[in-house]
Amino acid sequence: MTWDDLSKPWQAALSEAWTAYCAGSLPIGCAIADREDNILFTGRNRLHEDDPPHGLLAGNHLAHAEMNALAPLRKQSIDPKQCVLYTTMEPCPMCTGAIRMTHIGAVHYAARDPVAGSIGLLDATPFMRRGGITVTGPVQSQLETFSVALTIAAFLELHAGTDLPVRIMTSYQPHVPDAVHLGQLLHDTGSLKRLCDGGYPADVVFRDVLGEIKPTA
């Protein structure tokens, strides 16, 4: 898989994830597009940042990528049922609820999240089911590996000296062992930090990270 193989919404979501990583937050990105893949809104995780742009969230536990992408939706004359939300990680309970409350028509997610992923809540109650939201994910194995590896590397950096990274990695290991191994490698070699410090864009990062994939035994 190459960057050019990705649709414009996926490129936008991954670019937001990379921007989030370089800003010191979790590398999770989101894009909202219409059915013709025209990008309407984007958002990124800003959990470890301050001073967000007007109308967005930062510096608290609500500052997830999906929440920031959904925030401006009410200000536009757009039918949310005709919108597709693309996100690099499976939405958590909060974001799944926000997706339902904003009446988004479809969700595509790149990677499973065995820790907080809760897209199954869309089928949990009659109210949630009435949303009729179509869900697709994980969409492609290399896209999942890339997204999880960046997340693992970020947890190792952000929570060094605690047991949280180990707990996160243990949860992911049965599902995406190659991604866990790659995330550890990216952290240990410092390659992501070098790419960030060098100002490299997401397409270069995508190419270089996928080039590091070596299946585990």
Side-chain angles (χ1 to χ4, degrees):
M1 169 178 275
T2 69
W3 183 260
D4 291 337
D5 294 327
L6 300 170
S7 67
K8 295 299 182 184
W10 276 124
Q11 290 179 356
L14 291 172
S15 294
E16 289 289 331
W18 178 237
T19 299
Y21 173 85
C22 290
S25 286
L26 292 176
I28 302 171
C30 181
I32 297 174
D34 63 20
R35 299 288 180 168
E36 286 72 49
D37 281 353
N38 297 305
I39 298 165
L40 305 174
F41 309 106
T42 60
R44 61 182 174 84
N45 187 287
R46 295 173 180 266
L47 191 63
H48 297 285
E49 303 168 43
D50 296 315
D51 301 322
H54 178 71
L56 298 182
L57 296 162
N60 59 57
H61 290 290
L62 303 179
H64 288 199
E66 297 91 338
M67 300 293 284
N68 278 321
L70 290 166
L73 186 61
R74 69 187 186 281
K75 301 177 182 177
Q76 306 292 332
S77 300
I78 295 170
D79 179 4
K81 278 290 186 183
Q82 299 306 312
C83 293
V84 182
L85 183 145
Y86 295 77
T87 181
T88 58
M89 296 296 292
E90 180 183 352
C92 72
M94 174 181 68
C95 294
T96 299
I99 289 165
R100 171 63 181 94
M101 296 303 291
T102 49
H103 304 285
I104 290 291
V107 174
H108 294 181
Y109 66 93
R112 291 163 286 182
D113 181 356
V115 177
S118 300
I119 199 67
L121 290 176
L122 290 175
D123 195 43
T125 67
F127 172 80
M128 297 296 278
R129 289 192 291 273
R130 281 197 300 273
I133 300 170
T134 302
V135 177
T136 303
V139 296
Q140 208 277 348
S141 60
Q142 287 183 303
L143 197 56
E144 180 172 50
T145 297
F146 177 83
S147 299
V148 172
L150 259 63
T151 299
I152 294 295
F155 269 106
L156 286 165
E157 293 173 22
L158 290 167
H159 300 281
T162 75
D163 67 348
L164 181 58
V166 173
R167 289 192 281 117
I168 295 293
M169 293 168 71
T170 300
S171 296
Y172 276 97
Q173 183 67 32
H175 306 282
V176 280
D178 288 347
V180 173
H181 174 76
L182 180 57
Q184 181 79 64
L185 178 68
L186 294 172
H187 172 261
D188 292 348
T189 61
S191 56
L192 282 185
K193 188 175 188 308
R194 286 194 297 272
L195 288 166
C196 181
D197 291 345
Y200 289 97
D203 60 324
V204 174
V205 177
F206 188 74
R207 180 200 66 199
D208 287 3
V209 168
L210 290 186
E212 293 286 345
I213 295 177
K214 298 175 179 61
T216 55

